[in-house]
Amino acid sequence: MSKDIKLNIAMALMLLPLFALNLIFGAVDIPLNEVISIICGNGSSHESWNYIILQTRLPQAITAVLCGSSLATSGLLLQTAFHNPLAGPSIFGINSGASLGAAIVMLGFGGGLTIGSISFTGFIAVLIAAFFGALLVMSILLFFAVRLKNNIMLLIVGIMVGYIASSAISLLNFFATEEGVHSYMIWGLGNFGGVSIGQIPIFAIVTIFGLISSLLLIKPLNALLLGEQYAENLGVNTIRLRNKLLLITGLLTASATAFCGPIAFIGLAVPHMSRMILNTDNHQHLIPCTIITGALIALVCNMICNLPGENGIIPLNAITPIMGAPVIIYVITKKRK
C-alpha cells in the first residue's frame, strides 16, 4: 500500500470523530450519553434535545460534509483545467450567478417566486432561484467555451460575468426594502444550518453524482497536467474535457451555493492543502484527498461557528477566510520563490 493511500485512509478515519464532535458540541450543552442515546434511536427525555440533535446538528454536519467536498473538488478541477493556482468556483462567476438568483427573489420579489401557477416562498424559493442563477452562468460559460479555444480568454469571460452579476445585485440592493437587504445579507454570509433533514437526500444525490463524475476523469486530468498538446497526442479531446469539467464544477457549485450560500475560500484553498499533504499532483490520489479534506475543513468551520456563546451562530464566511487566506498567501509566496 502506497504512502498516498495510507494518508487518504487516515484522513477518512478522521471524519468520524470530527463528525461526532459536531453533534456533541454546540450552543446548547447536551450530555454525551444523551447524544449517543438520541443518535442510536432511543431518544431523550428532553424533547428539545431530540430536536436539536436530529433536526439541527445532524443535518448541519451532513451538509458541511457535502458542501465542503463539492466546493473543494470544483476548485481542484478548475485549477487543473486552466493551469491556474488561483482558479476557483467564485472566479468563474458561478457563485455570483447563484447570488444573483437569490437576490432577485429576496430583493426583487419579496422572498417569493411564482412559476406558472405554482408559487414558492421562503427557503425553497431562494434555493430554486440560486440554483437556476448558477446554471445560467454555467450555460453562458459553456456557450463561450465552444467558441473560445484559449483558457485565459474563457477565464476572463467568467470574471466579467461575475462582475455583471455583482452589478445587478448592487442595483437590487439599492432599490430593495430594508427587510429584503437584511435577509439577503444573512444568506450571503453562508450557513450550513439552512438545509433540513428532508432536503438532505436531494443535496446528497447531486453531490455524489458530481463527485463520481470527477473521479471518472482522473486519467485525462493527469494527461492535462503535462500540457494540452501532450494530452491531445494521447487522444484526449481537451475542448470536450474542459466542457465536462465546467459542467461538473457548475453542478457541484450551483447545488452547494444554492443550499448553503456563497461560501468563500474552501474551493480555492483546500486543493492546495491536499497537494501539500500528499506532495503530488496525481489525481488518482489527489481527488479523493481533496474530497476528504474539503469535508474535514467544512466540519471544523461548522464546529467553530456553533461554539457555545450568547451571541448566536458565527457567520460561516467570517471563519473560512481565516483558514483559507494563509494557505493562498503561502502558495503565492512559494510560486514566486
Side-chain angles (χ1 to χ4, degrees):
M1 188 181 294
S2 69
K3 179 184 175 183
D4 291 341
I5 294 175
K6 289 180 180 177
L7 282 170
N8 277 334
I9 292 173
M11 292 181 65
L13 291 175
M14 289 172 60
L15 280 171
L16 295 174
L18 196 54
F19 191 92
L21 288 173
N22 273 261
L23 300 180
I24 295 168
F25 293 104
V28 178
D29 186 21
I30 302 176
L32 177 59
N33 62 319
E34 293 286 349
V35 175
I36 295 172
S37 176
I38 293 168
I39 293 299
C40 291
N42 298 323
S44 170
S45 56
H46 293 75
E47 194 60 36
S48 59
W49 289 356
N50 290 323
Y51 180 85
I52 289 170
I53 298 296
L54 297 178
Q55 301 298 325
T56 303
R57 293 185 187 176
L58 181 61
Q60 270 189 10
I62 296 173
T63 300
V65 170
L66 295 172
C67 185
S69 58
S70 293
L71 294 177
T73 305
S74 298
L76 175 62
L77 295 181
L78 291 172
Q79 288 168 16
T80 301
F82 292 91
H83 301 286
N84 189 331
L86 297 180
S90 57
I91 298 297
F92 282 86
I94 301 173
N95 278 354
S96 298
S99 299
L100 177 58
I104 289 172
V105 170
M106 292 183 184
L107 306 176
F109 294 103
L113 183 66
T114 302
I115 303 174
S117 59
I118 305 173
S119 296
F120 300 96
T121 57
F123 177 78
I124 299 297
V126 173
L127 178 65
I128 294 171
F131 189 78
F132 278 100
L135 289 182
L136 175 62
V137 172
M138 186 183 70
S139 301
I140 294 171
L141 290 175
L142 286 171
F143 173 80
F144 282 102
V146 175
R147 288 155 178 77
L148 298 175
K149 307 296 182 183
N150 192 309
N151 284 342
I152 300 298
M153 297 303 294
L154 184 59
L155 184 64
I156 293 171
V157 168
I159 294 171
M160 293 303 105
V161 170
Y163 278 126
I164 292 170
S166 297
S167 296
I169 292 169
S170 298
L171 287 172
L172 287 168
N173 267 305
F174 182 78
F175 292 106
T177 62
E178 183 179 345
E179 293 79 7
V181 172
H182 178 73
S183 298
Y184 178 75
M185 185 190 71
I186 296 299
W187 180 84
L189 292 173
N191 180 22
F192 291 140
V195 185
S196 68
I197 196 70
Q199 294 161 344
I200 291 289
I202 302 171
F203 191 14
I205 290 169
V206 174
T207 301
I208 292 169
F209 175 78
L211 296 179
I212 292 174
S213 299
S214 66
L215 289 169
L216 295 175
L217 297 177
I218 286 173
K219 286 186 178 181
L221 285 170
N222 281 338
L224 199 61
L225 289 173
L226 301 172
E228 289 190 16
Q229 188 174 357
Y230 181 85
E232 288 175 355
N233 289 337
L234 292 177
V236 177
N237 188 326
T238 54
I239 295 176
R240 187 181 299 171
L241 175 61
R242 185 180 63 180
N243 292 344
K244 286 181 180 178
L245 292 176
L246 283 174
L247 278 170
I248 293 169
T249 55
L251 183 67
L252 289 172
T253 307
S255 59
T257 307
F259 278 101
C260 307
I263 297 172
F265 277 100
I266 289 181
L268 186 59
V270 170
H272 294 296
M273 293 180 183
S274 302
R275 291 188 186 96
M276 287 188 282
I277 291 168
L278 297 182
N279 196 26
T280 183
D281 284 322
N282 184 354
H283 286 79
Q284 184 175 357
H285 305 299
L286 190 57
I287 290 180
C289 183
T290 302
I291 292 171
I292 297 167
T293 306
L296 287 171
I297 294 298
L299 284 171
V300 170
C301 291
N302 185 58
M303 193 164 63
I304 294 172
C305 289
N306 289 284
L307 286 175
E310 297 179 357
N311 297 323
I313 298 173
I314 301 171
L316 189 58
N317 280 332
I319 303 300
T320 51
I322 296 173
M323 302 185 70
V327 175
I328 302 304
I329 293 170
Y330 172 78
V331 169
I332 293 172
T333 307
K334 188 178 178 182
K335 290 279 183 185
R336 183 169 181 174
K337 289 181 180 179

